Amino acid sequence: MNNLNDPPNWNIQPNPRDNGGDGNKWNYALLVPMLGLAAFRWIWSRESQKEIEKEKKEYYRRLTSVQSDLESKYRDIITQNRRTVAHLELELEKEQNRTLSYREALISQSRKLVEERRVLGQEREKLEQEKQVLQHSGAAGALYQSCLAKEAQWQKRANIVIKEFEEALLERQDIYCSFVLPRNQRLEIEKNLLVRAATDPVAMDIEMENGLKDIFKYDTHCGNVLNTNKRQNGRLMWLYLRYWELTVELKKFKRVEKALLEK
């Protein structure tokens, strides 16, 4: 290509014999496509830059939207978790209060039974003293022994009834403490015991129904997880069973006393 700023001798001179110096036309013919290519590259680069900027803006827009959605969901989850925790804390407090109430009721009932047992023991000692006096009073002693033998048979039958209730209560408490035995079996046992307590003469005489209701409501004691001895389950039931036995013995002597007075 010719340099127009240089002296003529430095330029490539056309050969005057080759078509009268038309070589310059070919030089400028090469310049046009090069300039076109440069212009195309500039335009293409500019358009590409615009597309890149557009994609960047769209990317940041989507990213901002996703972040906003995640933050909103995060706040919703935190709020829901706080509500759940607050609800569980409230339920836990209710269960603790209910457990405390049951414990206090059980302690109160246990104290009541212990006191009644003490009173029964005192009455028993008093009756034993009266028995000793009657045994040494001739005809009255013979009558006393006859009444006592009769009422001893009643006591025997009553103790058999109590023993049957004890076996049923053992089974009921074993089901209560079990993780696998169905709950409906326990409820069926409880229903049958209450029905019998309301119809059996001996159970009615020593007022077993109210005691059974207390046991079903308050006796939640179980042995350890590996326990296989049914007698290690329950606490209140054992107090009531002993209380019923003492009641039977006391009633035996009262029935003897009543029989003697009627003679």
Side-chain angles (χ1 to χ4, degrees):
M1 183 181 296
N2 292 326
N3 189 348
L4 301 180
N5 295 320
D6 288 342
N9 291 332
W10 290 9
N11 290 329
I12 301 174
Q13 300 298 325
N15 189 347
R17 292 177 296 179
D18 295 337
N19 298 325
D22 289 336
N24 287 331
K25 295 180 180 180
W26 293 104
N27 291 336
Y28 286 103
L30 293 174
L31 178 61
V32 172
M34 293 180 66
L35 291 175
L37 180 60
F40 172 76
R41 292 183 61 187
W42 179 79
I43 294 171
W44 180 79
S45 299
R46 184 172 181 141
E47 291 298 323
S48 297
Q49 188 65 28
K50 288 181 179 180
E51 290 295 326
I52 291 173
E53 291 297 329
K54 181 180 178 181
E55 289 298 326
K56 282 185 177 179
K57 290 180 180 179
E58 181 64 21
Y59 170 76
Y60 284 122
R61 186 189 67 79
R62 291 199 300 267
L63 180 61
T64 302
S65 177
V66 171
Q67 287 178 340
S68 177
D69 290 342
L70 289 176
E71 289 176 357
S72 177
K73 291 180 180 179
Y74 174 75
R75 286 193 296 269
D76 291 342
I77 291 173
I78 292 298
T79 302
Q80 184 64 32
N81 285 344
R82 287 175 178 173
R83 289 176 182 172
T84 303
V85 169
H87 176 72
L88 291 176
E89 288 177 347
L90 181 60
E91 290 298 323
L92 179 60
E93 183 178 357
K94 288 181 181 179
E95 288 299 325
Q96 289 175 342
N97 292 335
R98 188 179 295 112
T99 302
L100 181 61
S101 176
Y102 287 163
R103 185 179 300 170
E104 291 175 350
L106 180 60
I107 293 174
S108 175
Q109 191 67 25
S110 299
R111 289 174 178 172
K112 178 182 175 182
L113 286 174
V114 169
E115 178 63 21
E116 291 181 352
R117 181 176 175 180
R118 185 184 65 82
V119 173
L120 287 174
Q122 291 177 349
E123 292 186 5
R124 179 184 177 186
E125 290 179 0
K126 181 180 177 181
L127 290 173
E128 283 289 343
Q129 293 175 358
E130 294 177 356
K131 181 180 78 171
Q132 295 296 328
V133 173
L134 289 173
Q135 284 177 339
H136 297 86
S137 58
L143 179 61
Y144 173 79
Q145 291 295 335
S146 174
C147 293
L148 185 63
K150 180 180 177 181
E151 295 305 326
Q153 294 298 320
W154 174 87
Q155 182 185 21
K156 183 178 180 180
R157 292 195 303 272
N159 285 333
I160 291 175
V161 171
I162 293 175
K163 189 66 176 177
E164 292 173 351
F165 271 85
E166 177 183 333
E167 294 298 325
L169 286 172
L170 280 171
E171 187 66 24
R172 178 261 173 196
Q173 199 71 13
D174 183 57
I175 296 173
Y176 176 85
C177 296
S178 173
F179 293 105
V180 295
L181 295 177
R183 178 173 176 267
N184 62 331
Q185 289 186 11
R186 172 174 62 84
L187 296 179
E188 185 67 21
I189 292 175
E190 292 177 359
K191 177 183 175 181
N192 293 336
L193 287 176
L194 289 175
V195 170
R196 184 176 182 185
T199 56
D200 188 283
V202 174
M204 294 172 63
D205 198 9
I206 60 178
E207 301 177 351
M208 298 182 73
E209 184 176 2
N210 291 332
L212 289 172
K213 290 179 180 179
D214 286 340
I215 292 171
F216 300 157
K217 186 175 182 180
Y218 298 116
D219 199 343
T220 59
H221 176 74
C222 299
N224 58 56
V225 178
L226 302 178
N227 174 48
T228 57
N229 185 359
K230 295 180 180 180
R231 293 187 171 274
Q232 292 184 4
N233 297 326
R235 283 180 178 171
L236 188 59
M237 57 178 281
W238 296 111
L239 288 175
Y240 264 111
L241 287 168
R242 181 55 181 161
Y243 170 74
W244 291 330
E245 289 175 354
L246 291 175
T247 301
V248 166
E249 187 169 3
L250 177 62
K251 281 188 174 293
K252 178 187 72 173
F253 288 111
K254 285 187 175 182
R255 288 163 69 96
V256 170
E257 181 181 9
K258 182 180 178 182
L260 291 175
L261 291 175
E262 290 176 351
K263 296 295 183 180

